[in-house]
Amino acid sequence: MSARKLIAGNWKMNGLTASLEELRAMRDAVAGGHLSHVDLLICPPATLVAAAAQTVGDAFPVGGQDCHERQEGAFTGNISAAMLADAGATHVIVGHSERRTLHGETDDIVRAKAEAARAAGLTAVICIGETESERETGQTLDVLGRQLAGSVPDGATADTVIVAYEPVWAIGTGRTPTVDDVAEAHGFMRARLSERFGDAGRAMRLLYGGSVKPGNCATLLAVDNVDGALVGGASLKSADIVAICDGVRTLA
Ligand SMILES: O=C(CO)COP(=O)(O)O
């Protein structure tokens, strides 16, 4: 468990140079002391990582959304963790359900990417989560257990790994699990990580992701073992990010 909530934004395939304006506004909100009760992380598309890191300076960290398992080589179109680090990133999302579904990424691949992130000095934000049919057939905890075992590398620590629980059916749909369902999933993840990693597993940050908005963030982030949020659509605008951070002010 971590006392300060982490609000992490995943911009997905959104953002042109004009979007740096939003990052400037977020930087100014942080610089004004307005967000001092939370930690903020924004993961723009790879094309903007260097400019984003320059724009926000040391106001808050910037991350990538994916990396290759290798640090260099003949892998046309891919980007390595070393390249993201070189561009100024400190974190990288790996195993997002959109990568798992649209790019066939398995737990083995996700684990290799998390290991590559660690080798490059980046914190990996490892995403897991069940599909709607898996939930409906009562397989949620089995799926989470399997993905945790397969995707989180041996030797993971709270500095090298953050785990994000993102139910696939809650992403971009406006639907969220009940507070009880989030509590069950996060309690299960905490137990599994503690069993495997001891104190490191108890300290690892667990984020909830899937339709987090200013109106529901306080409810979702008040749940036990929810140390922050991984926010998609509502992370694109500074006003929404500030509203989400405001929403969790009482939880700090
Ligand atoms: O996939 C997500 C973050 O990684 C969640 O996206 P939304 O917040 O748009 O549902």
Side-chain angles (χ1 to χ4, degrees):
M1 283 286 273
S2 173
R4 284 166 69 83
K5 304 289 185 192
L6 170 63
I7 306 299
N10 173 11
W11 280 15
K12 309 192 179 186
M13 199 173 73
N14 299 291
L16 303 173
T17 47
S19 316
L20 294 172
E21 197 50 50
E22 296 297 332
L23 290 172
R24 262 178 227 114
M26 292 180 206
R27 175 199 65 195
D28 291 347
V30 171
H34 195 63
L35 309 182
S36 56
H37 59 295
V38 292
D39 292 331
L40 183 61
L41 163 70
I42 297 291
C43 301
T47 47
L48 288 183
V49 165
Q54 276 165 23
T55 299
V56 305
D58 57 9
F60 57 87
V62 166
Q65 299 175 8
D66 176 48
C67 65
H68 194 268
E69 303 90 290
R70 305 272 289 273
Q71 304 295 3
E72 61 183 14
F75 303 103
T76 302
N78 286 118
I79 291 170
S80 74
M83 291 169 178
L84 290 171
D86 186 51
T90 54
H91 294 65
V92 61
I93 298 168
V94 293
H96 191 281
S97 72
E98 287 148 20
R99 303 286 319 174
R100 290 177 186 263
T101 307
L102 303 173
H103 299 269
E105 292 189 6
T106 62
D107 286 327
D108 285 347
I109 292 172
V110 175
R111 189 180 62 247
K113 290 182 176 206
E115 283 168 349
R118 179 171 56 194
L122 301 180
T123 301
V125 181
I126 301 174
C127 301
I128 62 172
E130 82 286 0
T131 63
E132 184 150 39
S133 69
E134 287 165 342
R135 173 161 286 276
E136 281 170 354
T137 52
Q139 298 178 70
T140 298
L141 298 186
D142 287 344
V143 170
L144 298 184
R146 194 170 63 236
Q147 290 181 331
L148 275 181
S151 301
V152 180
D154 288 340
T157 68
D159 289 331
T160 60
V161 167
I162 294 168
V163 177
Y165 169 54
E166 298 207 307
V168 177
W169 52 273
I171 295 175
T173 59
R175 296 162 58 207
T176 56
T178 64
V179 161
D180 286 349
D181 288 341
V182 175
E184 183 185 42
H186 278 247
F188 173 82
M189 289 168 11
R190 179 71 68 205
R192 282 292 165 94
L193 291 168
S194 304
E195 270 164 37
R196 183 167 163 205
F197 299 108
D199 285 345
R202 281 181 277 281
M204 230 170 255
R205 270 174 153 166
L206 306 182
L207 310 183
Y208 168 78
S211 296
V212 175
K213 307 287 176 206
N216 63 17
C217 60
T219 307
L220 291 163
L221 271 66
V223 176
D224 267 1
N225 290 304
V226 178
D227 304 311
L230 183 54
V231 186
S235 71
L236 294 168
K237 297 278 177 219
S238 175
D240 287 336
I241 278 289
V242 169
I244 287 173
C245 294
D246 274 344
V248 302
R249 188 174 297 280
T250 54
L251 308 174

